Amino acid sequence: MQRSARKFTWVARKEVFNEFGKLPSIEKKGDAENIFAFLRKRVEESIDTSLKISNIDNFAEEILKLEDENIILHGDYDVDGITSVAILSNIFEKLGKKSEKILPSRFESGYGIDIKKIKEKLDLSKKNIVFALDSGTNELDKISFLKKNGVQIYVIDHHEPESKDKEVDFPIINPKYHGTENAKILSTAGLCHVLAEKIFSDKDFLYDEIFPLSALGTVSDVSPMVGKNWQIVKKSLENFPGNNIGLKKLIEVSCINSQIKSYHLGFILGPKLNASGRIFSPNESLDLLLEKSEEKARILAEKLDFYNKERQKITKLALEKILEKIEDKDSKIFIFGDESFKKGVAGLVASEVVERFGGASFIYEKSGSVFTGSARSDGSIDVSKVLSNLSDVLISGGGHKLAGGFSLKREKEDLFKDRLNEICRENFKKVGRKLEVSFEISNFSQEILQFVFKKISDLEPFGPCNNSPKIIGRGLTLISEKTIGDMKNHQRVSFVKNQQILDGIQFDFPEKLKVGSRYDIVFSLSENNFEDGKFEAIVEDFRES
């Protein structure tokens, strides 16, 4: 297919094309019934009861045996790590046991087990037990140190082991070591959720206290939305946020008045919980999730909302500075460091650069004697391999194919940039930007749009491996448009075809749609919040037809 305004190549969703032998089209309700029966079947087939997670039964037994030990829950500063601590805290509270909580600082100790903070929580008059959540898999030296000092450690983690052949000498739940394929998709919060199900048969407790937290962690960690993950989030959205007072207040300050969907978890609530760790400390997000007082929860929710707005401002300013400096937008390798960049938003900025231009970006904060940054890629560069090849230049560096982090000494900056450019040029693989389309609509009556919207909603929650269906409409003529938004970067539009009107909106447009022109558009459906029962298009991409 030809290139579009956003420089995507439109392709038919593979499994749909294979099933129907073509891109199916919806003219009447029966057409939609056939397509959505197939899509629903795919989701349901990903769910089975053969979920096997090594050591999880042993962990449940050990937790039930605990009596007067000093229990320390050590998490991470992102939503998966924070919600995992909250889940374990609720488990121990339900069992009548107290627990100490630790979240590492992004700015001080960085990712991983914080030995210093654990030492501060130790009680020398008792047996000390540490649960390392969302970390620990590759921190063998730290765990060995804790064991030598009499600390019993349990690890619950989902990160990829550096070596799967090497047996560890401590209790660990990580399906990436040993587990069925359908367990490897679980986030740490998802693993903690399954652990809670092993310990408790009280469905009300699980429904009200565990599901909301595990759903947040699952969606925020961008876990594949199939199998057990789909089940967890689907069940949670029926009752979200359960009895969690903090999340209720966060929903209020976020002005969400509609039914909670996976979108709200991933793009509104999750970023607010992440923001505290990016700007100040993740502890306030954990406090919110565990708070029992409505007044205290309201204050914490307002703080997180403020932190998120600050995070957005910092990210926007950093991105604007980078956009001013980009001379060749087709270079596909973007390397930028600045004194004003903040460690907490480097990854967000790097992601935005790749989203806009493709390729790979390396963004770092130039502060003090050590620079710290983040890398993102669209697949054209393997970030983990690039950083590995720079091990002689970097203090530290690692990640996976699409994302990573690194640090380097100030005096190595020029060498870092030269070597990085060289390695990226040698290893660059062109990746086409594709937009998957699930089906076509040729009837734009509100009756059909409402019916299709309802069928799409039944497939919720959406996420990786279960994307919200994208729709193609062909030969629509634009009859009106209006530029909107504070930055005049959105466009309200109306199309006509066969005397049927399709209203919609285009966000952050690369170019404006022109009245009188005919277009093919790729869009998703949305319910108009201002006109009850009316449905409109969110224009994802377009091309002249």
Side-chain angles (χ1 to χ4, degrees), residues 275-299:
S276 64
R278 294 186 185 280
I279 300 297
F280 181 55
S281 163
N283 290 310
E284 287 173 311
S285 293
L286 179 60
D287 291 343
L288 175 83
L289 297 180
L290 299 176
E291 186 54 64
K292 308 297 184 189
S293 159
E294 291 210 9
E295 180 58 22
K296 288 180 180 178
R298 181 187 62 79
I299 293 170

Side-chain angles (χ1 to χ4, degrees), residues 15-24 31 34-36 38 438:
E15 61 270 23
V16 174
F17 187 86
N18 290 344
E19 174 71 13
F20 295 94
K22 61 180 181 178
L23 187 69
D31 301 329
N34 293 335
I35 295 167
F36 284 100
F38 168 71
S438 294

Side-chain angles (χ1 to χ4, degrees), residues 177-231:
Y177 265 121
H178 306 290
T180 52
E181 283 299 316
N182 58 3
K184 293 178 182 178
I185 64 170
L186 294 171
S187 66
T188 302
L191 294 169
C192 292
H193 176 103
V194 177
L195 179 62
E197 289 181 325
K198 293 284 183 182
I199 296 171
F200 300 105
S201 58
D202 183 343
K203 291 185 177 179
D204 288 338
F205 168 72
L206 294 169
Y207 198 42
D208 292 328
E209 308 293 343
I210 304 299
F211 268 97
L213 298 169
S214 49
L216 253 176
T218 296
V219 174
S220 298
D221 218 56
V222 201
S223 301
M225 199 51 63
V226 292
K228 184 66 175 179
N229 288 337
W230 190 84
Q231 280 185 309

Side-chain angles (χ1 to χ4, degrees), residues 9 18 44 52 68 72 103 112 146 161-162 195 207 210 217 223 291 293 308 336 366 396 409 544:
T9 300
N18 290 344
E44 291 175 346
K52 289 185 174 60
D68 191 37
I72 302 170
L103 295 177
L146 290 170
E162 290 173 358
L195 179 62
Y207 198 42
I210 304 299
S223 301
E291 186 54 64
S293 159
N308 193 48
F336 292 101
K366 296 172 68 169
S396 64
K409 291 181 179 178
E544 290 193 19

Side-chain angles (χ1 to χ4, degrees), residues 63 90 95 119-120 141 158 184 191-192 196 215 250 261 263 276 319 355 383 390 393 419:
I63 285 172
N90 285 350
L95 294 171
K119 284 182 178 178
E120 292 170 358
D141 290 344
H158 72 122
K184 293 178 182 178
L191 294 169
C192 292
L250 196 61
K261 296 190 174 183
Y263 167 82
S276 64
L319 185 60
E355 178 69 24
V383 170
L390 287 166
V393 177
R419 287 274 306 281

Side-chain angles (χ1 to χ4, degrees), residues 79 250 253-256 263-281 284-285 299-317 344-345 348:
V79 178
L250 196 61
V253 303
S254 301
C255 300
I256 301 173
Y263 167 82
H264 297 108
L265 272 59
F267 293 96
I268 298 178
L269 303 179
K272 286 180 169 64
L273 290 166
N274 258 329
S276 64
R278 294 186 185 280
I279 300 297
F280 181 55
S281 163
E284 287 173 311
S285 293
I299 293 170
L300 284 166
E302 288 174 351
K303 272 189 177 183
L304 297 192
D305 187 54
F306 170 77
Y307 288 145
N308 193 48
K309 287 173 181 172
E310 288 299 299
R311 187 271 303 168
Q312 290 171 330
K313 288 178 189 174
I314 294 168
T315 304
K316 181 173 176 286
L317 289 171
V345 300
L348 299 174

Side-chain angles (χ1 to χ4, degrees), residues 251-507:
I251 290 168
E252 286 178 15
V253 303
S254 301
C255 300
I256 301 173
N257 300 312
S258 58
Q259 181 184 351
I260 300 294
K261 296 190 174 183
S262 54
Y263 167 82
H264 297 108
L265 272 59
F267 293 96
I268 298 178
L269 303 179
K272 286 180 169 64
L273 290 166
N274 258 329
S276 64
R278 294 186 185 280
I279 300 297
F280 181 55
S281 163
N283 290 310
E284 287 173 311
S285 293
L286 179 60
D287 291 343
L288 175 83
L289 297 180
L290 299 176
E291 186 54 64
K292 308 297 184 189
S293 159
E294 291 210 9
E295 180 58 22
K296 288 180 180 178
R298 181 187 62 79
I299 293 170
L300 284 166
E302 288 174 351
K303 272 189 177 183
L304 297 192
D305 187 54
F306 170 77
Y307 288 145
N308 193 48
K309 287 173 181 172
E310 288 299 299
R311 187 271 303 168
Q312 290 171 330
K313 288 178 189 174
I314 294 168
T315 304
K316 181 173 176 286
L317 289 171
L319 185 60
E320 287 173 353
K321 184 166 282 192
I322 287 173
L323 295 178
E324 288 173 4
K325 292 180 179 180
I326 292 178
E327 296 175 358
D328 180 7
K329 294 179 180 178
D330 295 322
S331 72
K332 300 304 180 188
I333 306 298
F334 304 98
I335 306 168
F336 292 101
D338 195 273
E339 288 80 4
S340 66
F341 295 171
K342 300 299 180 188
K343 189 189 301 183
V345 300
L348 299 174
V349 176
S351 294
E352 185 67 30
V353 172
V354 171
E355 178 69 24
R356 290 189 180 217
F357 305 115
S361 65
F362 298 79
I363 309 299
Y364 55 95
E365 176 193 23
K366 296 172 68 169
S367 175
S369 60
V370 175
F371 298 167
T372 306
S374 292
R376 297 292 185 270
S377 170
D378 64 358
S380 55
I381 289 291
D382 187 324
V383 170
S384 62
K385 286 184 179 178
V386 168
L387 295 178
S388 177
N389 287 333
L390 287 166
S391 59
D392 58 323
V393 177
L394 300 173
I395 296 172
S396 64
H400 51 80
K401 185 175 182 179
L402 302 182
F406 58 90
S407 63
L408 67 146
K409 291 181 179 178
R410 175 180 285 270
E411 59 268 24
K412 294 282 186 79
E413 182 185 13
D414 290 340
L415 177 61
F416 165 71
K417 291 167 75 173
D418 289 343
R419 287 274 306 281
L420 180 56
N421 265 311
E422 180 185 344
I423 293 169
C424 287
R425 282 196 301 270
E426 289 175 356
N427 295 278
F428 185 85
K429 294 179 182 177
K430 191 172 182 180
V431 175
R433 303 182 75 200
K434 295 179 181 179
L435 189 57
E436 276 195 337
V437 181
S438 294
F439 52 87
E440 179 181 349
I441 285 184
S442 53
N443 180 347
F444 296 99
S445 68
Q446 282 295 312
E447 181 185 7
I448 289 294
L449 294 181
Q450 181 180 26
F451 188 75
V452 171
F453 180 82
K454 173 65 171 62
K455 290 293 182 181
I456 290 174
S457 298
D458 289 343
L459 298 175
E460 278 267 14
F462 296 119
C465 303
N466 182 41
N467 295 313
S468 177
K470 299 287 185 291
I471 309 161
I472 189 170
R474 303 183 198 271
L476 294 109
T477 301
L478 189 71
I479 55 174
S480 70
E481 68 85 23
K482 182 181 180 181
T483 305
I484 59 173
D486 294 338
M487 298 175 68
K488 301 297 181 185
N489 58 335
H490 311 315
Q491 189 181 23
R492 170 83 44 195
V493 293
S494 290
F495 299 95
V496 65
K497 182 178 180 180
N498 300 331
Q499 299 182 318
Q500 294 172 334
I501 303 295
L502 177 65
D503 294 323
I505 187 168
Q506 179 186 196
F507 293 106

Side-chain angles (χ1 to χ4, degrees), residues 112-143:
I113 295 172
D114 189 329
I115 297 291
K116 182 181 177 183
K117 286 188 177 178
I118 289 176
K119 284 182 178 178
E120 292 170 358
K121 297 286 187 181
L122 295 178
D123 184 340
L124 300 180
S125 67
K126 295 181 178 181
K127 182 178 181 180
N128 292 285
I129 296 180
V130 172
F131 286 85
L133 310 172
D134 205 29
S135 60
T137 294
N138 297 312
E139 299 179 89
L140 307 186
D141 290 344
K142 290 181 180 179
I143 291 173

